[in-house]
């Protein structure tokens, strides 16, 4: 599971009960500890451990920067000091979670101790004035299930933002000539999103393959892993090349400080090694290092975002939208030559030959059914968006490569979105509903969320805690 650290800056305002604010500061910290949340407290900044003045705000900002927090949590333990919250958030440039505990019944004499909800309204307005995007978790009790859900969803949002702002992708050779769809604007990705591409020529990869084959040790381990976990329907020397390619790609991804890769699957690689890279991609995907086909940089970005939304607990799979289901009206075949991680398979995967190519090195297996999220980061003409929505796995005809028949709400509507763009025939799937997390993360990264079903109000309701 990926690790996220929150900066915990509870706030108060002087005209409301300071003792009650201190009480809720402690109760909220205790609840975070109970949930296993890693957070940085501010009890060393002042005796109350609360944010309410400028001098302390500066010290808190310095501490949180030193601790390299991934998100800022601003519990309003009474009304709160809205401008200090906004100033702190502006200093840190991380996702912000705004929340306050539900107020108790007023005293018999009409006195109210905290007015938390009113303070939340004020802080939301000031954050907007500062142009600071923020996430709002509904005014609730610490024991309410929506509190834990909201905290964990916010941490997943922080994880997407953290990963997206620090992406570096190993580009192995150019895109295949025929794939104009996978061209990308490398300069624009860097300028707008700090997404870095590390391009290398194909000979650098094949030289690394020769090197690891000569060293033998790591290649032998990968071959044994394949024999233990898959059916091997290729020759020993071909399996050795698959294993060597996997080790070589991982070495180069590490060498260039990357988190993912995009490889020119064909045709030069087959001339050099005599195999398809699909099974090697699958092995890396299983380790949480997405490697996508046809040098699809936007596809690699999508895979990193989707896995971050799942907190690194569930592997994603890179697929083609291919053909309509022959029997189910809103059914579709997701398929690729064989790069999907084996943990998504519902049967023992086989290393064999792919559809449409004469070289070995692909995996064949049907993926598990169940509920999935499908997504695609893409852009053209300077505009970027994230296509996302839900689907479910269904039965269908036997396929080749790694595949899954799915059903969506309206395939014609989805088909039109893909054709009209800015998307292409590639997407990334994950066996987890991460649509709300990805939708919320978009507000922090300058990408437009684009739901392929009209579920935006449902997503917003979920994020509100309904």
């Amino acid at each position: 599971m990926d690790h996220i650290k929150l900066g915990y800056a509870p706030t108060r305002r002087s005209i409301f009960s300071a003792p009650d604010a201190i009480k809720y500061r402690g109760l909220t910290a205790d609840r975070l500890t109970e949930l296993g949340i890693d957070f940085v407290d501010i009890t060393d900044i002042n005796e109350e451990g609360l944010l309410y003045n400028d001098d302390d705000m500066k010290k808190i900002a310095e501490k949180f920067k030193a601790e390299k927090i991934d998100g800022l949590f601003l519990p309003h333990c009474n009304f709160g000091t809205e401008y200090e919250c906004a100033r702190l958030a502006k200093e840190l440039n991380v996702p912000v979670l705004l929340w306050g505990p539900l107020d108790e019944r007023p005293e018999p004499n009409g006195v109210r101790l905290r007015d938390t909800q009113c303070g939340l309204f004020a802080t939301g307005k000031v954050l907007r004035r500062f142009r600071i995007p923020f996430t709002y978790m509904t005014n609730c009790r610490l024991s309410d299930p929506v509190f834990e859900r909201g905290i964990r969803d916010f941490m997943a949002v922080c994880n997407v933002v953290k990963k997206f702002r620090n992406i570096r992708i190993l580009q192995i050779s150019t895109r295949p000539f025929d794939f104009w769809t996978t061209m990308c604007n490398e300069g624009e990705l860097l300028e707008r999103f700090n997404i870095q591409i590390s391009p290398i020529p194909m000979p650098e990869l094949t030289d690394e393959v020769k090197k690891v084959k000569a060293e033998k040790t790591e290649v032998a381990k990968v071959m044994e892993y394949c024999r233990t976990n898959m059916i091997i329907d290729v020759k020993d020397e071909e399996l050795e090349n698959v294993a060597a390619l996997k080790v070589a790609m991982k070495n180069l991804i590490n060498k260039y400080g990357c988190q993912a890769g995009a490889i020119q699957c064909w045709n030069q690689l087959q001339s050099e090694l005599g195999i398809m890279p699909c099974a090697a991609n699958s092995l890396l995907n299983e380790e949480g290092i997405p490697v996508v086909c046809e040098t699809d940089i936007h596809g690699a970005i999508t895979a990193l975002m989707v896995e971050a939304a799942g907190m690194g607990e569930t592997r994603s799979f890179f697929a083609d939208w291919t053909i309509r289901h022959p029997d189910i009206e809103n059914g579709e075949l997701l398929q690729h030559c064989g790069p999907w991680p084996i943990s998504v398979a519902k049967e023992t995967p086989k290393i064999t030959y792919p559809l449409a190519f004469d070289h070995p090195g692909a995996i064949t297996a049907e993926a598990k059914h169940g509920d999935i999220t499908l997504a695609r980061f893409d852009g053209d003409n300077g505009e970027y968006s994230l296509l996302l929505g839900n689907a479910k796995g269904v039965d269908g005809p036997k396929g080749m490569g790694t595949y899954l028949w799915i059903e969506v709400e309206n395939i014609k509507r989805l088909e039109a979105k893909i054709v009209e763009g800015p998307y292409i025939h590639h997407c990334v799937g994950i066996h987890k509903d991460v649509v709300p997390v990805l939708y919320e993360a978009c507000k922090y990264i300058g990408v437009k969320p684009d739901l392929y079903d009209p579920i935006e109000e449902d997503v917003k309701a979920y994020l509100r805690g309904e």
Side-chain angles (χ1 to χ4, degrees):
M1 184 174 180
D2 293 340
H3 184 77
I4 290 296
K5 184 189 292 186
L6 299 182
Y8 176 59
T11 182
R12 72 162 175 87
R13 177 169 285 185
S14 58
I15 64 171
F16 292 91
S17 170
D20 254 54
I22 294 169
K23 170 187 170 183
Y24 271 94
R25 190 221 75 78
L27 289 172
T28 306
D30 290 345
R31 182 64 173 139
L32 294 177
T33 300
E34 182 183 318
L35 294 174
I37 309 300
D38 184 10
F39 66 96
V40 181
D41 212 332
I42 59 171
T43 50
D44 58 329
I45 302 297
N46 59 47
E47 291 182 357
E48 298 178 7
L50 292 164
L51 165 66
Y52 54 86
N53 65 45
D54 228 32
D55 288 341
D56 288 345
M57 183 279 295
K58 293 171 185 174
K59 295 173 186 175
I60 294 166
E62 289 173 6
K63 180 176 182 179
F64 285 175
K65 288 176 183 177
E67 290 278 356
K68 297 181 179 179
I69 63 161
D70 304 306
L72 175 63
F73 184 26
L74 295 170
H76 281 46
C77 297
N78 63 27
F79 189 100
T81 307
E82 68 267 31
Y83 57 89
E84 295 297 351
C85 291
R87 286 171 177 170
L88 179 61
K90 193 74 170 180
E91 285 277 335
L92 296 170
N93 190 32
V94 295
V96 176
L97 179 60
L98 185 60
W99 170 82
L102 202 64
D103 286 76
E104 295 86 358
R105 178 188 295 272
E107 299 289 343
N109 62 3
V111 170
R112 301 191 308 274
L113 298 176
R114 294 188 290 114
D115 276 20
T116 292
Q117 185 194 50
C118 191
L120 293 169
F121 296 152
T123 300
K125 177 64 172 180
V126 178
L127 287 170
R128 290 193 299 276
R129 289 291 193 194
F130 274 70
R131 297 195 173 185
I132 296 168
F134 63 93
T135 296
Y136 176 64
M137 181 165 64
T138 192
N139 194 207
C140 67
R141 296 179 178 86
L142 286 163
S143 58
D144 289 343
V146 71
F147 178 84
E148 178 179 356
R149 188 184 85 182
I151 286 286
R152 298 203 187 282
D153 284 344
F154 177 69
M155 292 175 68
V157 169
C158 291
N159 201 35
V160 175
V161 175
K162 177 183 178 180
K163 293 286 176 70
F164 187 83
R165 289 177 174 175
N166 296 280
I167 287 177
R168 189 182 298 170
I169 296 167
L170 184 70
Q171 177 184 319
I172 302 172
S173 192
T174 62
R175 62 176 172 82
F177 171 78
D178 290 332
F179 272 65
W180 286 49
T181 47
T182 59
M183 69 171 62
C184 75
N185 189 326
E186 179 182 349
E188 191 169 74
L189 289 173
L190 179 61
E191 293 160 2
R192 290 192 55 179
F193 305 118
N194 192 41
I195 293 174
Q196 301 176 29
I197 312 300
S198 300
I200 64 169
M202 189 62 74
E204 186 168 350
L205 174 66
T206 53
D207 285 349
E208 187 67 20
V209 169
K210 294 171 186 175
K211 177 183 172 183
V212 300
K213 282 179 73 172
E215 291 171 349
K216 298 184 184 298
T217 306
E218 291 302 316
V219 172
K221 290 178 184 177
V222 175
M223 291 176 72
E224 182 57 31
Y225 175 87
C226 293
R227 292 188 178 110
T228 301
N229 293 281
M230 292 179 262
I231 298 168
I232 310 302
D233 198 18
V234 297
K235 299 173 183 175
D236 281 351
E237 58 268 28
E238 294 166 340
L239 179 61
E240 182 185 25
N241 279 344
V242 167
L245 180 57
K246 182 265 182 184
V247 175
M249 285 195 291
K250 185 173 182 179
N251 287 352
L252 291 168
I253 286 170
N254 290 335
K255 175 182 177 181
Y256 288 98
C258 300
Q259 302 88 33
I263 185 171
Q264 184 199 90
C265 313
W266 47 280
N267 290 322
Q268 186 59 35
L269 189 68
Q270 288 68 55
S271 301
E272 299 286 343
L273 299 179
I275 59 167
M276 299 299 293
C278 315
N281 294 359
S282 169
L283 292 165
L284 285 168
N285 289 332
E286 187 62 43
E287 293 183 10
I289 305 171
V291 178
V292 302
C293 317
E294 290 131 5
T295 328
D296 183 0
I297 298 297
H298 291 168
I301 294 167
T302 311
L304 288 168
M305 294 177 70
V306 165
E307 295 215 356
M311 291 301 289
E313 294 183 305
T314 308
R315 299 279 72 85
S316 66
F317 56 93
F318 178 79
D320 275 359
W321 303 98
T322 56
I323 62 169
R324 296 272 193 93
H325 196 293
D327 307 312
I328 298 174
E329 183 179 358
N330 289 302
E332 178 80 12
L333 177 63
L334 298 180
Q335 188 267 348
H336 227 274
C337 298
W340 297 2
I342 65 172
S343 58
V344 309
K346 77 169 192 176
E347 58 192 356
T348 304
K350 178 187 292 187
I351 299 184
T352 182
Y353 284 74
L355 176 72
F357 291 94
D358 296 327
H359 292 87
I363 287 178
T364 287
E366 182 180 3
K368 293 179 289 189
H369 292 190
D371 295 330
I372 61 174
T373 294
L374 297 170
R376 171 72 187 183
F377 168 86
D378 218 324
D380 50 41
N381 298 299
E383 297 181 1
Y384 291 85
S385 56
L386 181 69
L387 182 71
L388 71 160
N390 300 112
K392 64 178 181 179
V394 294
D395 292 331
K398 183 174 176 57
M400 291 184 67
T402 40
Y403 70 96
L404 174 65
W405 291 96
I406 60 157
E407 184 178 13
V408 297
E409 184 179 299
N410 186 328
I411 190 64
K412 292 178 182 177
R413 182 171 59 216
L414 172 57
E415 180 182 284
K417 270 196 174 288
I418 298 170
V419 172
E420 292 166 4
Y423 314 107
I424 67 169
H425 61 295
H426 289 165
C427 68
V428 174
I430 190 169
H431 285 83
K432 193 171 186 177
D433 184 4
V434 295
V435 169
V437 169
L438 289 168
Y439 178 91
E440 185 70 7
C442 283
K443 70 169 60 168
Y444 294 104
I445 59 177
V447 173
K448 178 186 174 184
D450 187 6
L451 296 156
Y452 58 71
D453 289 324
I455 59 170
E456 187 167 19
E457 290 307 313
D458 294 335
V459 172
K460 289 179 177 179
Y462 171 89
L463 292 167
R464 287 195 300 264
E466 296 177 23

